[in-house]
């Protein structure tokens, strides 16, 4: 059974940095894409960054371009979300999700992802 586990959330001051980790286990075939999503209070869940495993193609939300980066450690089946220049609008529960579908093109929308972690809270506040 596929399991997705996030870690690394917490409280950070505006302008600060934080790194989230996501480890995927329990799969036989490599996932086709993995992504970070977030949901702020009263808002819909949105895609933050997604990456395709076959060619490393990425998609970033406009709001995080230049501030957030995604990286992978295939030896550990772990994906990292490095966040910098954080602001209060980044406060949300951050989720990691993956899919094993045949990937024609990378889509960073929650409907395309089948396995989800429990989420980790990120709060940006002074």
């Amino acid at each position: 059974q596929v399991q997705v586990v996030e870690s690394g959330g917490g409280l950070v001051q505006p302008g600060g940095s934080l790194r989230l980790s996501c480890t995927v286990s329990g799969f036989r075939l490599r996932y086709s894409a993995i992504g970070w999503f977030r949901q702020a209070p009263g808002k819909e869940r949105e895609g933050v960054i997604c990456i395709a495993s076959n060619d490393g193609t990425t998609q970033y939300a406009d709001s995080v371009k230049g501030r957030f980066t995604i990286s992978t450690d295939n030896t550990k089946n772990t994906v990292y979300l490095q966040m910098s220049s954080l602001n209060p609008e980044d406060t949300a529960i951050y989720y990691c999700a993956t899919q094993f579908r045949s990937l024609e093109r990378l889509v960073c929308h929650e409907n395309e992802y089948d396995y989800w972690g429990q989420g980790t809270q990120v709060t940006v506040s002074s």
Side-chain angles (χ1 to χ4, degrees), residues 51-122:
I51 185 168
S53 62
N54 58 351
D55 61 5
T57 301
T58 56
Q59 281 192 9
Y60 287 70
D62 289 341
S63 59
V64 305
K65 285 181 180 177
R67 301 189 300 121
F68 291 12
T69 57
I70 190 170
S71 61
T72 60
D73 184 341
N74 293 331
T75 64
K76 298 180 180 179
N77 294 322
T78 298
V79 176
Y80 303 98
L81 177 63
Q82 179 67 49
M83 305 184 291
S84 60
S85 301
L86 286 162
N87 58 64
E89 288 71 37
D90 296 315
T91 295
I93 299 175
Y94 283 72
Y95 298 90
C96 180
T98 190
Q99 57 156 295
F100 294 82
R101 309 177 192 184
S102 177
L103 195 65
E104 294 185 358
R105 65 184 184 93
L106 182 65
V107 177
C108 200
H109 187 279
E110 61 177 335
N111 290 347
E112 299 295 315
Y113 293 78
D114 303 308
Y115 299 92
W116 292 79
Q118 79 288 351
T120 185
Q121 177 71 47
V122 172

